Amino acid sequence: MTTVPVALEIAVTSPAGAVVARDHGADRVELCVGLELGGLTPSQALVETVHETGIPAHALVRCRPGGFVHDPDEVDLMEREVRTVIRSGAAGVVVGALRPDRTLDLDALRRFVAAARSVSATAEVTLHRAIDHAADPVAAAAAVADLGFTRVLTSGGALTAAAGASTISRMVESSGPVQVMAGAGVTPADVPALVAAGVAAVHLSAKRPAAGSAHTGVPMGGSDDGSAHFVTDADVVRAARRALDTAAA
């Protein structure tokens, strides 16, 4: 039986980050803005520009920070954002929604999948880490195949994917044809254990503070503490690629 290689996905926030990921071994990128907020929907121009780099980009569609219970207006907005980012060149979207009882919001998720596939029949759809906030992530992973999802991104409900590896393994067993991708606090050293858990992909931000980007003085908003913004670290991407290749050998 042929072994399917485990994919490497890097979360990026810029065309420069996409190029670093592309040139140092990533198979695809997850594109967002506001990574320090957990990630938000990128602009149309950002999606278009990253598409031009040539690496497949899956755009996060999340209209605000905070929890994953969305009101009807937010679901309407994100449905439109799904169509926009796919039309702008995204190879897929990364979406999620929960109900107040911490079960999957199946109606919203069906709408997101349908919106993506209405633009491109081959669009991939990933359920993001809202699944880690579900009451039962293993059961949630089992439920998404019928919704048309390609994969789920998960830490196994733990603070980090490494800490949640045993639950991730159970999610792999329950998910059927849906791929399971491990993400949250992943370092290259974590890769062998995550591969052993049976994941189809590993996801990491591979970030470092950008030199000279911190500031002092007048804050630019209530959450602005003057810290540097982050950029994609080529050394971390390369190390993750080596770890994956070694684990697969």
Side-chain angles (χ1 to χ4, degrees):
M1 182 174 65
T2 301
T3 301
V4 178
V6 178
L8 175 61
E9 178 177 285
I10 303 295
V12 304
T13 59
S14 68
V19 169
V20 169
R22 180 197 69 193
D23 290 350
H24 297 283
D27 297 292
R28 59 178 180 261
V29 297
E30 179 193 29
L31 179 64
C32 66
V33 297
L35 196 57
E36 68 281 1
L37 300 173
L40 300 171
T41 308
S43 71
Q44 177 180 338
L46 179 54
V47 177
E48 290 172 347
T49 307
V50 168
H51 174 64
E52 292 170 1
T53 70
I55 189 168
H58 294 180
L60 177 65
V61 173
R62 183 175 177 230
C63 65
R64 56 154 175 80
F68 303 105
V69 178
H70 294 285
D71 65 33
D73 287 342
E74 291 173 337
V75 173
D76 288 346
L77 173 59
M78 289 189 289
E79 185 178 22
R80 295 182 69 167
E81 288 181 324
V82 166
R83 289 193 292 265
T84 295
V85 297
I86 296 292
R87 289 182 185 128
S88 300
V93 290
V94 185
V95 296
L98 297 176
R99 295 191 182 281
D101 65 357
R102 296 173 60 206
T103 60
L104 296 178
D105 186 339
L106 301 179
D107 292 338
L109 297 178
R110 285 190 186 98
R111 288 175 60 182
F112 298 154
V113 172
R117 302 272 164 71
S118 72
V119 179
S120 170
T122 60
E124 298 189 2
V125 186
T126 299
L127 175 60
H128 61 47
R129 291 191 58 224
I131 196 170
D132 292 323
H133 296 258
D136 186 342
V138 176
V144 298
D146 290 340
L147 303 178
F149 276 82
T150 309
R151 69 181 57 82
V152 298
L153 169 62
T154 183
S155 67
L159 288 176
T160 66
S166 61
T167 300
I168 291 172
S169 179
R170 292 168 56 213
M171 294 172 77
V172 170
E173 293 174 357
S174 73
S175 64
V178 176
Q179 300 171 19
V180 175
M181 175 166 58
V186 174
T187 68
D190 299 323
V191 167
L194 296 174
V195 171
V199 299
V202 293
H203 167 105
L204 58 159
S205 56
K207 62 183 184 291
R208 61 173 172 78
S213 67
H215 71 84
T216 58
V218 179
M220 301 301 291
S223 62
D224 177 27
D225 62 0
S227 300
H229 73 268
F230 292 96
V231 294
T232 306
D233 190 323
D235 290 339
V236 177
V237 178
R238 280 196 299 268
R241 179 76 266 166
R242 285 196 301 269
L244 271 179
D245 292 344
T246 299

